[in-house]
Amino acid sequence: MKRGQGRPQRLGDLIQRDLSELIRLELRDPRVGMVTITSVDVSPDMSHAKVFFTLLEKEKLEDTLAGLNRSAGFLRSQLARRLKMYTTPGLRFAYDESVERGDRLSRLIDSALRPPGPAPRRRKAAPQRKTK
């Protein structure tokens, strides 16, 4: 681990925990539903934080992203009260595709390792009758 990366990592973990609670309990935007904060990457100068999230209904991704970006100021102000830092990082939200990609790769690996099933049987032609 490089020197100086310990504190941004710890701050990211704190932001992740507090943001999850804030979104669940205090956010009133109807566009934001069941959101899971998967990770938070904080810049080395601690002025920006990129928040990765997943959701159950992928078809509502655009609305959820718009709702989270719209409420970023509110969430930042609530974080400032909880974290008590000199400056609170600005929040940027991004959809985390790693969970979905991991699931797809896992299914591909399972299908490649599955033993092949028996080959389909061919029907034998019925013997033809001789007609007079």
Side-chain angles (χ1 to χ4, degrees), residues 13-63:
D13 293 343
L14 277 173
I15 290 173
Q16 179 180 356
R17 186 190 68 209
D18 288 344
L19 263 183
S20 296
E21 189 175 315
L22 283 169
I23 289 172
R24 185 172 49 89
L25 297 176
E26 296 187 26
L27 194 60
R28 300 285 182 239
D29 194 326
R31 296 176 288 184
V32 180
M34 295 291 293
V35 173
T36 302
I37 306 297
T38 55
S39 68
V40 178
D41 290 341
V42 179
S43 64
D45 65 351
M46 291 182 272
S47 62
H48 302 286
K50 190 169 187 181
V51 181
F52 293 96
F53 69 95
T54 60
L55 43 121
L56 292 175
E57 302 170 9
K58 190 168 182 207
E59 58 273 356
K60 294 184 178 181
L61 176 62
E62 295 295 324
D63 290 339

Side-chain angles (χ1 to χ4, degrees), residues 3 9-11 17-18 21 26 55-56 64 70 82 87 100-101 103 112 115 125 130-132:
R3 188 169 190 214
Q9 180 63 42
R10 288 192 314 266
L11 180 60
R17 186 190 68 209
D18 288 344
E21 189 175 315
E26 296 187 26
L55 43 121
L56 292 175
T64 302
R70 175 94 169 123
R82 290 174 175 225
T87 58
E100 189 176 301
R101 191 177 317 123
D103 181 51
K130 293 183 183 179
T131 56
K132 291 185 182 180

